[in-house]
Amino acid sequence: SSARSPSSDIYRGLEPLVDLPSTPHELRDDAHYVPAFPSTSADAQIAALNQTASSHGHGGLELGARDWLSDEHIAADYMLLIQELQRDNPDIASRTRLVDPLIAHYHLRLGSESVATRAFQRIVHDHDGNDTADFVFLPVSDASASDPNRRGSHWSLLLVDRRERARPAAYHYDSAVGYNDGPAALLAQRLGARLELARMTQQSNGYDCGVFVLDGTRALVRGLAQRGRSGVLHLDNLVVDRLALQTRLRR
């Protein structure tokens, strides 16, 4: 599958775990902080991911026919998705958080308890201090917490449904079932959510896992907008479209 690319690695040599910096400017370059839409304002949400794209030098990302997706590709497409949501469904946009993969990995999964708590509070609260996040989407990487040589080879997707704040559910969508069970379980545990397996179409090659994460996110957002009740949404009929992703990223 694909959590690395020659040009951008989610795991460029993790330093010993300490309290990571808590602001965008304090974070080192390979783990910049994007506050995952801390406002219901369209401009603020788009600016958050624009910061990610700018820090990566995003001016149209290239993605080859068999390239593995990097954190840059995921962050860039998440930026495009939130722009579309703000235009087409502002209610869902205000209740949805698309988390930068580096924040999910470095802060929420690998950071100390205080770092993870601080980062999550930034994610779910708006500028007025209101917890408005019903749906939190987190890319999951299998990069090692301790071994710098295990840079990660797979992406999967965790959706935390927080409509019942006291009983959040985390649904894990993995295009190679079982591959990311450990990282997903740890991430769900750190967010205080019960983990449930959700079905997803299985990839038939070794390089499209990141495309499954992005197209799966888009399919889930559409499904959440169409139904009001809680419960798992399965993606066992998902068909991914790398060509469409390539076109979006070249904008």
Side-chain angles (χ1 to χ4, degrees):
S1 296
S2 52
R4 287 188 296 117
S5 81
S7 61
S8 177
D9 214 323
I10 194 172
Y11 191 115
R12 285 169 254 191
L14 192 65
E15 298 169 0
L17 292 180
V18 294
D19 274 8
L20 295 177
S22 59
T23 68
H25 300 296
E26 291 171 349
L27 262 168
R28 66 188 189 280
D29 290 341
D30 66 342
H32 60 276
Y33 181 79
V34 176
F37 319 141
S39 170
T40 57
S41 158
D43 290 341
Q45 295 192 22
I46 292 169
L49 274 181
N50 265 325
Q51 179 180 338
T52 296
S54 297
S55 69
H56 286 307
H58 172 55
L61 279 172
E62 291 299 322
L63 180 66
R66 296 189 177 186
D67 286 350
W68 288 4
L69 269 66
S70 70
D71 58 277
E72 298 168 341
H73 297 106
I74 292 176
D77 199 52
Y78 270 6
M79 179 184 71
L80 295 172
L81 177 55
I82 200 62
Q83 290 174 327
E84 295 166 18
L85 286 176
Q86 288 290 350
R87 181 189 66 228
D88 301 332
N89 196 327
D91 174 65
I92 287 292
S94 68
R95 299 160 57 204
T96 299
R97 306 293 190 271
L98 308 179
V99 180
D100 185 299
L102 294 179
I103 301 308
H105 181 70
Y106 281 102
H107 280 185
L108 298 178
R109 185 160 78 87
L110 301 185
S112 68
E113 184 175 346
S114 63
V115 164
T117 299
R118 203 161 61 236
F120 192 64
Q121 291 303 308
R122 275 207 182 91
I123 288 167
V124 300
H125 287 87
D126 62 22
H127 282 316
D128 297 322
N130 299 314
D131 182 344
T132 57
D134 285 345
F135 311 114
V136 181
F137 289 85
L138 304 114
V140 180
S141 167
D142 67 332
S144 171
S146 58
D147 184 352
N149 293 316
R150 291 177 54 199
R151 296 174 175 269
S153 60
H154 187 57
W155 291 111
S156 60
L157 176 66
L158 196 69
L159 164 60
V160 180
D161 184 340
R162 304 178 67 246
R163 281 175 287 186
E164 295 182 39
R165 292 291 193 269
R167 299 182 66 253
Y171 300 105
H172 185 214
Y173 299 86
D174 195 338
S175 59
V177 165
Y179 205 98
N180 266 5
D181 283 358
L186 177 57
L187 188 53
Q189 179 184 29
R190 301 207 77 186
L191 300 181
R194 70 182 188 279
L195 181 63
E196 299 189 17
L197 179 63
R199 297 192 303 272
M200 185 182 224
T201 302
Q202 296 297 280
Q203 65 188 85
S204 59
N205 57 47
Y207 47 82
D208 264 344
C209 59
V211 186
F212 274 85
V213 167
L214 293 175
D215 284 2
T217 298
R218 287 172 173 267
L220 288 168
V221 167
R222 288 194 298 271
L224 292 169
Q226 293 167 3
R227 62 184 273 185
R229 67 184 186 278
S230 298
V232 62
L233 288 168
H234 294 291
L235 293 178
D236 38 8
N237 294 316
L238 179 69
V239 177
V240 301
D241 189 341
R242 176 176 280 255
L243 181 59
L245 174 60
Q246 291 171 317
T247 301
R248 291 197 303 270
L249 292 177
R250 282 196 296 266
R251 291 177 186 172

